Amino acid sequence: MEVRTLLQLLAWERGWTYARFRREYEKAAKELSAAAGEPPSTATVEEQTYRRWTGGRVRGLPNPPAPEILEYMFGHSARALLSAPPSRESPPGASFVTTINESDLAMTARDAASHAGDAASLSVPDMTLDQLDDDIVALAREYSRTPPFEVYRRAKELLSIAQSMLERTQVPRQRERGYLAAGQSAAVLSAICFDLGSLPAAVSLSRTAALYGQVIEHGPLQAYAHGALAFLSFWGGRPAEAVRLVRTAQQFGGLGDTAITRLLVIEGRAHGHLGDHAAAQRAIRNALEQAPDRGTNSTMTSAASSGFRVTEWP
């Protein structure tokens, strides 16, 4: 077994169990208080604390009087006792054998059970996540019929709820849903910030949505966020950057016809602004081919629209 601290090594060498260590600790505390002319000390050490000390799970020094008691017991500084032991060269023919007693095994089992219990308690009801999903979808669908300030307020609230849920759960499936909800809320906030005339805030929130998508490797969310960034770059007077971002967005998987078409629309507009008519026409043709079941007028209307709408997730 790996020896994690000098304290653990010295306790093992003396053959001390936790019960023996506690008796010696309390005895040393009383001896120190008597030497200082103080009332008898009541200092003691719980088993969980002892396991943390010997297991190397302590940062810094414990609270007084623990450092002084440990130094009195073992003749080493408290910092050295709680750190990894110095390497030693064993004499020829000698071997060092560590033993594990039942107390060690029981404490290990309790630590594992406690950790698992803590993890299991860090979850949120699935219905709460279901409601969050429904609220985000409803807000996206009602976007064009809702006053901008109300969209902003509700999207900000939904993002806060998603972030709060992420802090409360450690269940991988729920965390994935939480990150997706946070990314979608950030995307709605980005859209409304653009509509309210704040391009920098819109860009920042689209990047936030992209990062949330990256955490869970969600292709459609990352594509949407990069497409929104491309659209914002176009309106910010950076069409070449818009083309680059569109091509990045097109590399993500899981995109439907609508998402691909809208990305091609943004690409075509950016090429047109750059004066690259051939590339612009190619993007338009690709957009037309992407949706063969839609009429030309419908597709061209989409190409002439704002380019990225929160009402249709990619």
Side-chain angles (χ1 to χ4, degrees):
M1 176 176 286
E2 178 185 0
V3 179
R4 298 187 179 276
T5 62
L6 179 59
L7 177 61
Q8 184 183 47
L9 175 61
L10 295 175
W12 279 352
E13 286 181 339
R14 299 182 186 191
W16 286 1
T17 61
Y18 158 69
R20 175 65 184 279
F21 178 90
R22 178 174 178 172
R23 290 196 300 271
E24 295 294 335
Y25 185 91
E26 293 172 349
K27 177 183 175 183
K30 289 181 173 63
E31 290 176 356
L32 282 172
S33 60
E38 299 173 351
S41 173
T42 59
T44 187
V45 57
E46 298 298 328
E47 185 173 4
Q48 187 173 5
T49 301
Y50 170 69
R51 301 300 173 183
R52 289 178 58 246
W53 288 354
T54 57
R57 301 198 298 271
V58 178
R59 293 183 178 179
L61 294 176
N63 294 327
E68 185 180 3
I69 296 172
L70 291 172
E71 291 170 3
Y72 178 79
M73 292 173 64
F74 295 99
H76 295 273
S77 71
R79 192 173 299 279
L81 288 167
L82 299 175
S83 301
S87 58
R88 305 194 219 176
E89 294 292 336
S90 300
S95 62
F96 175 73
V97 180
T98 61
T99 60
I100 307 174
N101 55 43
E102 188 173 353
S103 175
D104 292 323
L105 298 175
M107 188 60 193
T108 299
R110 285 197 294 274
D111 283 346
S114 176
H115 185 271
D118 290 343
S121 67
L122 294 174
S123 62
V124 296
D126 283 337
M127 285 192 296
T128 305
L129 286 165
D130 292 341
Q131 185 62 54
L132 177 60
D133 291 342
D134 290 345
D135 289 343
I136 294 172
V137 171
L139 179 59
R141 288 174 176 169
E142 297 166 5
Y143 184 94
S144 60
R145 302 189 301 273
T146 306
F149 176 78
E150 180 65 12
V151 173
Y152 174 80
R153 185 193 65 78
R154 289 169 59 186
K156 182 179 179 181
E157 180 182 16
L158 292 172
L159 176 58
S160 179
I161 292 172
Q163 291 170 336
S164 175
M165 288 184 180
L166 284 168
E167 293 175 356
R168 290 165 49 198
T169 182
Q170 291 298 324
V171 178
R173 170 181 53 81
Q174 291 188 336
R175 290 186 65 80
E176 183 172 351
R177 292 183 65 185
Y179 278 119
L180 178 58
Q184 290 174 332
S185 300
V188 176
L189 278 169
S190 173
I192 196 61
C193 284
F194 174 76
D195 286 347
L196 290 171
S198 180
L199 188 62
V203 171
S204 178
L205 285 162
S206 283
R207 287 173 178 159
T208 298
L211 288 173
Y212 280 130
Q214 180 179 336
V215 170
I216 56 175
E217 298 182 340
H218 194 280
L221 176 57
Q222 293 183 82
Y224 182 93
H226 281 80
L229 286 169
F231 179 64
L232 295 169
S233 294
F234 173 81
W235 280 101
R238 302 187 309 277
E241 178 72 1
V243 171
R244 184 188 69 81
L245 286 165
V246 164
R247 289 175 178 170
T248 299
Q250 290 168 336
Q251 302 304 310
F252 295 105
L255 305 186
D257 289 345
T258 299
I260 295 173
T261 299
R262 292 194 181 282
L263 289 172
L264 289 168
V265 166
I266 298 170
E267 181 183 3
R269 295 180 71 176
H271 282 308
H273 192 77
L274 289 169
D276 190 342
H277 302 297
Q281 291 174 357
R282 184 166 57 251
I284 294 297
R285 284 195 301 270
N286 289 337
L288 291 169
E289 293 171 0
Q290 190 61 39
D293 56 327
R294 298 171 59 182
T296 301
N297 291 338
S298 174
T299 303
M300 293 306 294
T301 299
S302 174
S305 68
S306 62
F308 241 70
R309 310 173 75 90
V310 298
T311 52
E312 297 183 29
W313 299 109

